[in-house]
Amino acid sequence: MSQSTRTSPFVRTKTSQRQLDDADAEKLRALGDAVERAFTKVSSARDRLNAQRKAKSMPNTPMTRASEDVVDDFMLERQGRFEQLEAAATRLDFLNIIQEDDDQKNVELAQNTITVEYNDVRQSHDKEDEEVGKQEEVAVTSEVVVERIRTLHVVEEDGSTDDDSGIDGAGDQCDVDDTSSGAIPEVDSEVHVRVENGECHVRWPSGTLKPTTCSFKHFINSLEHGQRVVFAPGVYSHIDSPIEVTKNVTFIGDDAEGGTVFDGDVIVLATRFAVKRVHFFKLYISRGDATIDHCRIHGCTIIDSGALIIGSSASCRVSNTEIYDNAGEGAAVSAKHATFDSCKIFRNTVGVSVRGTSAVKVSKCRVSDNVTYGLIIGADASGTYTDNVVCANEIGVRIEGNATPSFTRNKVEDNRSDGTQCVDRSSGMLSLNAIKQNGGSGIMFDDSCSTQAHKNEIENNKLDGVVICGKSRPTLIANRIRANVQNGVVCADQSRAMVHANKISQSVGGVVLNTDAGGNFTDNKVFENDVGVTIADDNEGTNFKIVGNEVSDNATAPLRAPSSIAANVAQTNSLAGVGGEQLASESGECVVM
């Protein structure tokens, strides 16, 4: 191989035991020259990149002429165009001219493997060298090209690598990232924005060529995936049409000076979305995974809509957020996953409605002062509801439509009507709740529901502690039902309840079975009421079993029942009274004392 061929660092050859002739060497030299020309283009791209960076470093203020820092030796060909700029030109004007020129010059970078087969080179030597008889090939690989590009990478005066790793523009890009260490350069993704006179004033990340003044909607549409947007206090208005967030972004507002307010509807269509400390009028999470923290959602005037809507294709975590003063539902949830933690939901028509979803968790929230319901759990919904306070609503909680929630350790207090309604074939579990001081009944089971209620405190409600009606079949086990104004447990209207091991006290009637009511009443303690157990005159006693109950210390009587069934009830229960005498009234009623 000739000396000129062996000195090229970009050519790798396979040689036999003999030297190539002059024709072979000429072909290798031509290949080396082609590779050098490719790297010359890369070097030219590097020079254009330097010019662009210099233009970006200019202050964004009017210039009287083209800056000498920008018009260097490389840019002499553009100097005539720069001189055509007006006196008030800014750095953006210089960048635009650089961009226009660069669009005409695509950087041709040879990154694919170049393989040259030298079958013809070896044909003339086959007779002389049959045992070798192999083709010669020269390969220039993309790895060599990348290595060469690294040597062209721009290095700052302090020795660090410049962060800008490409040529902006519509033409082909030439990335010159420093990949020798395997590290990925950090991207400045934080955007700062403030509002003034209805327009957004934006500080984009370094090197971003986007408008710095625009409408709020245009700003949202200009965002890129992964950006973190910091909003200054102010009202960002977009009342003419909804704002659609389609990029995976994070919004950070500011609580100072009235806060960061989005005045209008916001629809989230992104895969991932997070927001903190922003005021919304209406927020619709249509799909994707969203996080809402320390926000306020209020002032929505649409009656038949939620202020916060979490759609069936979305997952959402809502924490430390206030949802209030909305004309419809505060939150309407049909999400595949949704979590509400430590939120305050108040002064809406309905606090929260959950429908058609099984993966909802509501915990440590306060749901209060809503016009109708605090919570509605319906339409086949389930989920868990723990450690919440539901108070001062018209009705605290309504479970309906085949819903099967787990409702545990909640306080349902001081609602104007019923504390909890379980209706419309619903079931699920109520356990360890405090259902107190409501204006109606503590719990109402109606319309064929089969809910279980275990170890609840049902106290001081203005009507009955528990009402069972409408052919319902609930199970009440180990509850404390006391000091309700009318009755402890009332069963009516063809219902069949299982009431076991409860403590029922300090009401007018402990247990009341009205016409056609039935079920199993076993092992309860019924005490300190006016009357312990009351069975209606026209209840024939064929649909219930009252066995093993301890009925004592009731003011008027332990049992009030028709004479036809009173004796049997007295025999199968412990009735503590005065003398155990049976007194028949004029109506045929029997009182056991």
Side-chain angles (χ1 to χ4, degrees):
M1 184 181 295
S2 66
Q3 180 66 25
S4 61
T5 303
R6 285 187 285 109
T7 57
S8 175
F10 312 112
V11 178
R12 178 167 48 88
T13 64
K14 293 182 181 179
T15 61
S16 64
Q17 300 175 355
R18 62 191 308 273
Q19 296 289 328
L20 299 178
D21 59 18
D22 292 341
D24 299 332
E26 182 62 31
K27 290 184 179 181
L28 292 175
R29 281 194 295 271
L31 180 61
D33 292 341
V35 174
E36 289 294 347
R37 285 195 297 273
F39 289 121
T40 299
K41 293 183 180 180
V42 174
S43 179
S44 178
R46 187 270 314 271
D47 292 337
R48 288 198 296 276
L49 177 60
N50 286 338
Q52 190 177 52
R53 288 172 178 157
K54 288 182 180 180
K56 289 180 181 179
S57 68
M58 295 169 59
N60 193 26
T61 54
M63 298 289 181
T64 57
R65 64 185 181 84
S67 170
E68 293 179 358
D69 291 336
V70 177
V71 185
D72 55 11
D73 293 339
F74 166 71
M75 301 182 67
L76 286 176
E77 62 185 74
R78 296 191 179 98
Q79 188 173 8
R81 294 193 61 189
F82 283 143
E83 290 174 352
Q84 298 173 8
L85 293 174
E86 298 179 357
T90 69
R91 70 179 176 91
L92 293 179
D93 297 310
F94 286 90
L95 286 172
N96 288 337
I97 286 184
I98 295 172
Q99 186 65 61
E100 291 172 5
D101 285 354
D102 286 346
D103 286 344
Q104 306 299 320
K105 298 179 179 180
N106 293 328
V107 179
E108 299 177 359
L109 182 60
Q111 292 183 332
N112 296 324
T113 302
I114 304 173
T115 302
V116 179
E117 297 182 354
Y118 281 98
N119 291 330
D120 56 334
V121 174
R122 298 301 305 165
Q123 284 176 0
S124 60
H125 301 286
D126 283 343
K127 292 182 179 180
E128 300 177 4
D129 197 7
E130 292 181 359
E131 67 280 4
V132 177
K134 299 180 180 179
Q135 67 177 12
E136 302 289 333
E137 64 179 12
V138 178
V140 180
T141 66
S142 58
E143 293 179 359
V144 177
V145 175
V146 171
E147 185 63 29
R148 176 61 173 163
I149 292 174
R150 288 180 185 145
T151 67
L152 299 176
H153 193 53
V154 179
V155 179
E156 301 292 347
E157 292 181 359
D158 61 358
S160 63
T161 302
D162 193 287
D163 286 338
D164 195 347
S165 60
I167 300 174
D168 297 324
D172 294 340
Q173 293 188 346
C174 177
D175 292 334
V176 288
D177 293 335
D178 185 1
T179 58
S180 58
S181 66
I184 300 175
E186 263 188 40
V187 178
D188 182 5
S189 62
E190 189 162 279
V191 181
H192 292 260
V193 59
R194 61 182 176 85
V195 64
E196 184 176 327
N197 297 324
E199 288 191 322
C200 291
H201 296 261
V202 188
R203 189 172 80 227
W204 295 101
S206 175
T208 303
L209 296 180
K210 292 185 179 180
T212 57
T213 302
C214 58
S215 69
F216 181 49
K217 187 168 187 176
H218 187 275
F219 167 70
I220 295 297
N221 292 339
S222 300
L223 294 173
E224 301 294 339
H225 285 300
Q227 288 185 321
R228 183 177 187 268
V229 184
V230 179
F231 290 88
V235 178
Y236 296 79
S237 182
H238 53 98
I239 58 177
D240 294 336
S241 61
I243 292 295
E244 294 185 353
V245 180
T246 60
K247 302 297 175 55
N248 301 338
V249 292
T250 298
F251 290 167
I252 306 296
D254 193 330
D255 287 333
E257 302 174 7
T260 299
V261 180
F262 289 1
D263 183 10
D265 296 357
V266 176
I267 301 174
V268 177
L269 302 170
T271 303
R272 302 187 72 85
F273 172 74
V275 60
K276 186 172 185 178
R277 292 195 298 271
V278 172
H279 294 235
F280 293 92
F281 284 84
K282 184 176 180 180
L283 176 59
Y284 176 25
I285 309 298
S286 176
R287 62 173 180 258
D289 190 354
T291 300
I292 302 169
D293 183 41
H294 283 90
C295 290
R296 296 182 181 182
I297 304 172
H298 59 96
C300 179
T301 59
I302 303 174
I303 296 175
D304 58 350
S305 175
L308 171 62
I309 301 174
I310 306 175
S312 59
S313 298
S315 296
C316 189
R317 293 170 298 281
V318 186
S319 59
N320 303 295
T321 290
E322 295 184 357
I323 305 173
Y324 60 94
D325 290 342
N326 298 292
E329 298 161 323
V333 183
S334 58
K336 56 184 179 180
H337 297 284
T339 299
F340 288 79
D341 181 66
S342 302
C343 297
K344 295 180 179 179
I345 304 166
F346 57 97
R347 295 201 303 264
N348 308 284
T349 298
V350 175
V352 179
S353 71
V354 180
R355 302 182 186 280
T357 178
S358 60
V360 173
K361 181 178 180 180
V362 181
S363 62
K364 300 178 183 178
C365 294
R366 183 179 178 88
V367 185
S368 65
D369 298 287
N370 296 287
V371 175
T372 57
Y373 300 95
L375 288 173
I376 296 178
I377 307 167
D380 302 301
S382 58
T384 60
Y385 303 78
T386 58
D387 300 310
N388 302 288
V389 176
V390 185
C391 64
N393 308 282
E394 181 65 24
I395 296 171
V397 180
R398 183 178 176 87
I399 303 172
E400 63 182 16
N402 292 308
T404 58
S406 175
F407 198 77
T408 306
R409 293 194 308 273
N410 302 283
K411 293 182 179 180
V412 184
E413 302 175 342
D414 297 310
N415 296 286
R416 295 180 293 277
S417 183
D418 297 335
T420 303
Q421 294 180 343
C422 302
V423 301
D424 189 21
R425 303 176 306 282
S426 63
S427 57
M429 172 70 75
L430 309 178
S431 61
L432 302 171
N433 302 289
I435 305 173
K436 302 179 179 180
Q437 297 176 322
N438 297 286
S441 299
I443 304 177
M444 174 177 283
F445 300 103
D446 195 4
D447 194 12
S448 302
C449 84
S450 56
T451 305
Q452 299 183 51
H454 294 183
K455 297 183 178 181
N456 300 284
E457 294 183 356
I458 306 168
E459 303 179 357
N460 294 298
N461 297 287
K462 297 301 187 290
L463 296 179
D464 303 304
V466 177
V467 176
I468 306 168
C469 58
K471 300 181 180 180
S472 295
R473 285 168 168 73
T475 300
L476 279 67
I477 299 177
N479 300 283
R480 188 172 72 174
I481 305 170
R482 63 179 293 274
N484 298 287
V485 171
Q486 293 190 6
N487 303 294
V489 177
V490 177
C491 189
D493 190 20
Q494 301 182 37
S495 293
R496 305 289 184 264
M498 175 181 287
V499 182
H500 176 75
N502 300 280
K503 294 181 179 179
I504 306 170
S505 65
Q506 301 178 27
S507 299
V508 173
V511 176
V512 177
L513 279 68
N514 288 329
T515 304
D516 296 327
N520 295 328
F521 297 80
T522 59
D523 299 322
N524 301 286
K525 292 184 179 181
V526 184
F527 59 97
E528 297 180 0
N529 304 285
D530 186 20
V531 176
V533 177
T534 300
I535 302 172
D537 294 349
D538 54 356
N539 192 320
E540 298 178 355
T542 58
N543 296 314
F544 64 79
K545 179 173 70 173
I546 302 178
V547 177
N549 300 285
E550 182 181 319
V551 185
S552 64
D553 299 319
N554 296 284
T556 301
L559 173 65
R560 190 182 296 273
S563 57
S564 59
I565 60 175
N568 182 57
V569 172
Q571 291 175 359
T572 56
N573 297 274
S574 174
L575 306 179
V578 180
E581 298 176 353
Q582 296 187 10
L583 302 177
S585 66
E586 294 181 356
S587 64
E589 179 181 62
C590 182
V591 178
V592 179
M593 301 184 67

